[in-house]
Amino acid sequence: MKLVNYKLKYDFAPNRMGMMLYDNVVDLQQASEQMHENEVTKESAYPLPSNPDEFFAQGAASLRCAEKVFSYIQRNQPKLQYKREEVILGPPVPNPSKIICVGINYADHVAEMGSEISKFPVLFSKFNNALIGPEDNIHKVSATEKLDYEAELAVVIGKKASNVKKEEVFEYIAGYTIGNDTSARDLQKRTVQWLQGKSLDHTTPVGPWLVTKDELTDPANLSIQSFVNGEKRQSSNTKHLIFDIPYLISFITELITLNPGDIILTGTPDGVGMAMTPPQFLQDGDTVRVEIEGIGAMENKIIDM
């Protein structure tokens, strides 16, 4: 199933949890209530919150209940459905407690950036101020002249994870989505720490939805591409990750406890603007589209601030 964080256009109500039914958005809490009215069982009576943060905070319990609701709406016509053009999608997890990013995790990207393959994963963090939805504009502030794109597979954690063994990693995953680790290269490179170039306000789109792990069963073999103004810039496959998802989560959870809703951005392949000859950085009015097989696509416009 595909879980979304949505709100109706021209509506000032808070964002709500939903799920995709073909091309429509179904409100998760309302569908849950409809299911309980029609198919009341002790097992299905778990209350689902409408708030996306509360939904993910409840971890595996929310996901199990959502699976039952999804099964129900596939069998029955839900009362309230919204056409895709009637809603605005936010990042699937709007306020994760942690956003952990992995740098230089594709060999070809390591080479184009003039780096060396690291013995251990290169980790850095982002903050929630950077997160935006799959349709939002990416803000280009005056502090940077070298804004760049990075298409990435994002992993969302489904339950509290600490010291997880590699063979058990997938038990802790809620699902997968798309990330664009938009990076201010001039700010990133002016010190040995990358944070200032990686966590600018309103620069990291994630979405369009969370595809649960039961639907996307092989994250280690997905095509990943990016386009700037329709021109293909990146084209690779997640099978080329240097440190794969089981290794990454096992490695990270030896150091840091991950909570439900936490996001891991797994790294970008080669083809970034900084490595082109001459370098091609994002400008006001440009559009960046990121596509990942089995998930979908998102497209964001760059605007000067």
Side-chain angles (χ1 to χ4, degrees), residues 96-301:
S97 69
K98 288 178 284 296
I99 306 167
I100 296 178
C101 308
V102 185
I104 51 176
N105 199 24
Y106 287 80
D108 287 343
H109 180 55
V110 173
E112 73 175 357
M113 298 299 280
S115 301
E116 296 182 358
I117 293 177
S118 175
K119 184 178 179 181
F120 302 103
V122 176
L123 303 181
F124 60 95
S125 62
K126 283 182 177 282
F127 303 117
N128 292 340
N129 63 288
L131 282 186
I132 59 174
E135 302 162 322
D136 292 336
N137 294 325
I138 295 170
H139 292 181
K140 180 179 180 293
V141 297
S142 59
T144 180
E145 294 298 326
K146 296 183 178 181
L147 198 65
D148 208 349
Y149 52 87
E150 292 192 1
E152 306 204 12
L153 175 66
V155 182
V156 178
I157 298 301
K159 65 179 181 179
K160 188 174 182 179
S162 178
N163 290 305
V164 177
K165 297 177 181 179
K166 284 192 288 186
E167 57 270 23
E168 298 173 351
V169 156
F170 291 101
E171 298 174 21
Y172 293 83
I173 293 174
Y176 309 91
T177 187
I178 299 171
N180 181 357
D181 178 22
T182 309
S183 304
R185 300 298 188 192
D186 39 4
L187 306 184
Q188 175 190 354
K189 297 293 185 178
R190 66 184 181 181
T191 69
V192 295
Q193 295 290 340
W194 295 353
L195 177 65
Q196 59 191 294
K198 291 286 193 173
S199 206
L200 296 174
D201 290 347
H202 222 79
T203 53
T204 305
V206 175
W209 35 64
L210 172 73
V211 180
T212 51
K213 63 183 177 183
D214 60 303
E215 185 172 327
L216 203 164
T217 58
D218 188 11
N221 187 23
L222 304 174
S223 66
I224 177 170
Q225 299 181 100
S226 71
F227 303 80
V228 176
N229 301 328
E231 176 190 1
K232 185 184 292 186
R233 295 287 183 86
Q234 294 177 283
S235 183
S236 189
N237 190 291
T238 57
K239 67 184 178 183
H240 299 306
L241 285 168
I242 296 170
F243 302 106
D244 63 12
I245 290 169
Y247 184 92
L248 285 174
I249 293 180
S250 179
F251 178 84
I252 292 168
T253 60
E254 284 185 351
L255 311 172
I256 303 166
T257 297
L258 298 176
N259 296 315
D262 283 351
I263 297 173
I264 300 172
L265 292 171
T266 58
T268 198
D270 64 306
V272 299
M274 183 178 182
M276 296 178 70
T277 305
Q280 299 289 317
F281 297 110
L282 298 171
Q283 305 298 328
D284 182 55
D286 286 348
T287 60
V288 182
R289 180 179 177 88
V290 180
E291 300 178 359
I292 297 183
E293 180 183 1
I295 300 176
M298 67 175 182
E299 186 169 294
N300 304 86
K301 185 177 180 178

